[in-house]
Amino acid sequence: MDRSLNRAKIGVIAGCLSLFCTLMVSSSPGYSAPIIEPTTAAQKTGKQFATVWRIHGEVTAFSRSANNERTLHEGDPVYVGERVRAAALAEAALKTEDAGIVAIRPSTEFIAERFSASGKPTDSLTLRLLVGSLRVISGWIAHTNRSGHSVVTPSTTIGIRGTDHEPYVLSAELAESTSNREGTYDKVNRGGTTMQVGENKLDIDAGRVGFVRAIPKKRALMTLLLPVLLDKVPNFYVPGKFDAELDLYSQTADKDSLQELEKKRKAPGAAPVAECAPDSIAETWLKQLDTAIARHDASAIIAMFASDAAVRATVRSEDGTMTSVDIRRDEFVQSTLAALKGLENYKQRRVWTKAKQVYNDDTCDRISLKSVVIEQGLQSGKPYRFESLEEYVLESRNGKWISISAETTQQ
């Protein structure tokens, strides 16, 4: 495709097709995703995250807000924000409030940074694994809000797909002693996970192990940080003291956790949970988007899209041929800003909209939608009119619907 034509098309489309305004902030120099600090609001309120189910050896929980450390025993609560440490020969298995399991391996430290298990679609769990290994058997949050369940390590973020997996942060010392590479590993026993570094994602299926190198002190050759699949399970993965029980627990974990979810939702005084309504979600989201465009509200548009949203346009050239363009952030940001400034007399009408759940189960955290829209107005003083098919995938993150992919095809 001719580069000048490419740039010209991008400049016009940026002002006329709503989805492209999303890339401004994520492509701006110096942009980075917000980092969750270990001390959270939940920690200050003493919100319970789990209960000690099994324990062997010395496992402690340190509270920064209370500035004290306590030794854990079977039946003890564990709270959001506490730094949990297992000694060199110690292990524990915690039952989370959403009927999942977090098993702590020897010489491991982690923090439950964010947790909510009220039986709502906004339930979430974020674990920060500092060093060592966990075995995580997901509870009902994996069904009600997949995108809200993650394990964060120094070099990657691990998402889940209804899962029994073992993330492992291998220190430099242990890497040397075991003849392995320093970094984050993730072994999937059941279900699947996704390791993500920036925009780069790797899906890991059951029986496989993913790996991301530790972040180098000198950040050259960043391609070394790309997630990769390993050919075999590393030698440092060994069964834990409670793994026989955990294997049995994992076999029925999905069914049992959903039963616990139903009990919680039917408990006296429980707030009613709205049924999943894809069409209503889609119409509300599109109305917000269209209103923001009409008002030239760039910040509102940006907030409706993920920073790593995949965006593509298929446009009609002067000779009538259709050409697809994947918009790169570094070359698109300036044309988008200019297009918003030059947009006048904007009007649009949506001819039809259809939406459905992405997952064919009880999950209501990802919606796909299609909509035919007619847009017209003035772009830099020149009139235009487009009819296009817009396709989005919306994902619920922290109770808010945002687009993780967007595609428009000129009709």
Side-chain angles (χ1 to χ4, degrees):
M1 182 177 180
D2 181 76
R3 296 296 294 175
S4 61
L5 175 60
N6 188 357
R7 287 192 293 271
K9 285 289 184 183
I10 292 173
V12 174
I13 294 170
C16 307
L17 301 181
S18 57
L19 60 91
F20 292 116
C21 300
T22 66
L23 299 179
M24 287 187 288
V25 166
S26 57
S27 57
S28 299
Y31 173 82
S32 61
I35 297 174
I36 302 172
E37 294 296 332
T39 303
T40 64
Q43 175 188 359
K44 296 176 181 178
T45 60
K47 184 175 183 179
Q48 185 167 335
F49 146 68
T51 302
V52 179
W53 180 46
R54 297 285 185 267
I55 194 165
H56 171 78
E58 185 180 10
V59 181
T60 62
F62 172 76
S63 171
R64 176 182 292 184
S65 61
N67 193 29
N68 75 311
E69 186 173 57
R70 59 195 176 95
T71 300
L72 295 176
H73 302 89
E74 193 169 302
D76 282 353
V78 180
Y79 299 102
V80 174
E82 289 188 307
R83 182 186 290 246
V84 181
R85 298 186 181 98
L89 299 177
E91 296 184 51
L94 313 180
K95 273 192 177 181
T96 62
E97 295 297 292
D98 71 329
I101 291 286
V102 175
I104 311 160
R105 306 302 200 189
S107 302
T108 292
E109 294 186 25
F110 86 96
I111 300 169
E113 289 190 338
R114 179 178 296 167
F115 184 73
S116 175
S118 58
K120 299 179 180 178
T122 54
D123 287 352
S124 63
L125 170 61
T126 300
L127 304 176
R128 184 172 294 273
L129 178 57
L130 305 173
V131 67
S133 180
L134 302 172
R135 180 172 177 180
V136 181
I137 301 175
S138 57
W140 75 57
I141 294 174
H143 300 275
T144 59
N145 187 12
R146 283 186 178 93
S147 61
H149 195 301
S150 62
V151 177
V152 180
T153 78
S155 58
T156 185
T157 296
I158 303 171
I160 60 100
R161 292 177 280 151
T163 303
D164 174 352
H165 70 123
E166 299 178 54
Y168 203 130
V169 175
L170 196 68
S171 65
E173 295 77 16
L174 190 56
E176 183 177 358
S177 65
T178 60
S179 300
N180 288 283
R181 292 172 289 178
E182 180 187 1
T184 298
Y185 297 76
D186 193 39
K187 180 169 76 77
V188 178
N189 302 319
R190 176 180 58 80
T193 64
T194 299
M195 300 183 83
Q196 181 170 355
V197 180
E199 298 178 19
N200 303 294
K201 297 181 181 180
L202 175 70
D203 290 335
I204 309 164
D205 296 323
R208 303 301 302 273
V209 180
F211 170 69
V212 177
R213 286 179 181 268
I215 298 176
K217 294 180 180 179
K218 295 183 179 180
R219 300 196 175 210
L221 299 176
M222 291 300 285
T223 54
L224 294 177
L225 299 180
L226 297 181
V228 296
L229 284 174
L230 303 183
D231 294 331
K232 59 181 181 180
V233 177
N235 55 4
F236 52 79
Y237 272 109
V238 294
K241 183 175 181 62
F242 306 114
D243 270 28
E245 288 183 275
L246 296 179
D247 289 343
L248 292 175
Y249 193 97
S250 182
Q251 290 176 14
T252 60
D254 290 343
K255 178 182 177 181
D256 293 345
S257 65
L258 288 175
Q259 288 178 346
E260 290 299 316
L261 174 60
E262 284 304 306
K263 289 180 183 179
K264 189 172 189 68
R265 287 177 171 175
K266 293 178 180 179
V273 178
E275 294 184 0
C276 193
D279 290 330
S280 177
I281 293 168
E283 290 176 5
T284 299
W285 190 88
L286 288 172
K287 183 177 180 179
Q288 292 174 347
L289 178 63
D290 294 338
T291 300
I293 296 170
R295 293 178 177 176
H296 292 201
D297 190 344
S299 60
I301 296 170
I302 293 164
M304 298 182 68
F305 290 78
S307 60
D308 58 348
V311 182
R312 166 175 287 196
T314 300
V315 298
R316 192 183 308 279
S317 301
E318 293 181 0
D319 61 0
T321 60
M322 303 298 289
T323 303
S324 293
V325 181
D326 290 311
I327 308 300
R328 280 192 356 216
R329 292 183 178 123
D330 57 353
E331 70 177 356
F332 181 73
V333 58
Q334 295 302 325
S335 61
T336 304
L337 289 167
L340 278 176
K341 290 180 180 179
L343 184 61
E344 297 179 283
N345 299 336
Y346 176 77
K347 295 180 181 179
Q348 62 83 26
R349 178 172 64 88
R350 293 199 176 271
V351 181
W352 59 263
T353 298
K354 295 180 180 179
K356 64 179 182 179
Q357 291 176 246
V358 172
Y359 302 117
N360 189 26
D361 54 21
D362 292 333
T363 305
C364 188
D365 64 352
R366 191 169 287 190
I367 301 294
S368 66
L369 74 91
K370 295 182 179 181
S371 182
V372 170
V373 61
I374 298 174
E375 300 173 278
Q376 64 185 44
L378 296 176
Q379 176 60 44
S380 301
K382 296 181 180 180
Y384 73 88
R385 183 183 185 277
F386 280 121
E387 179 177 341
S388 56
L389 170 64
E390 296 181 353
E391 300 178 72
Y392 302 91
V393 175
L394 308 182
E395 187 172 271
S396 178
R397 295 185 180 179
N398 299 321
K400 181 179 179 180
W401 289 96
I402 61 174
S403 176
I404 60 173
S405 72
E407 183 171 355
T408 183
T409 302
Q410 187 178 346
Q411 301 296 288

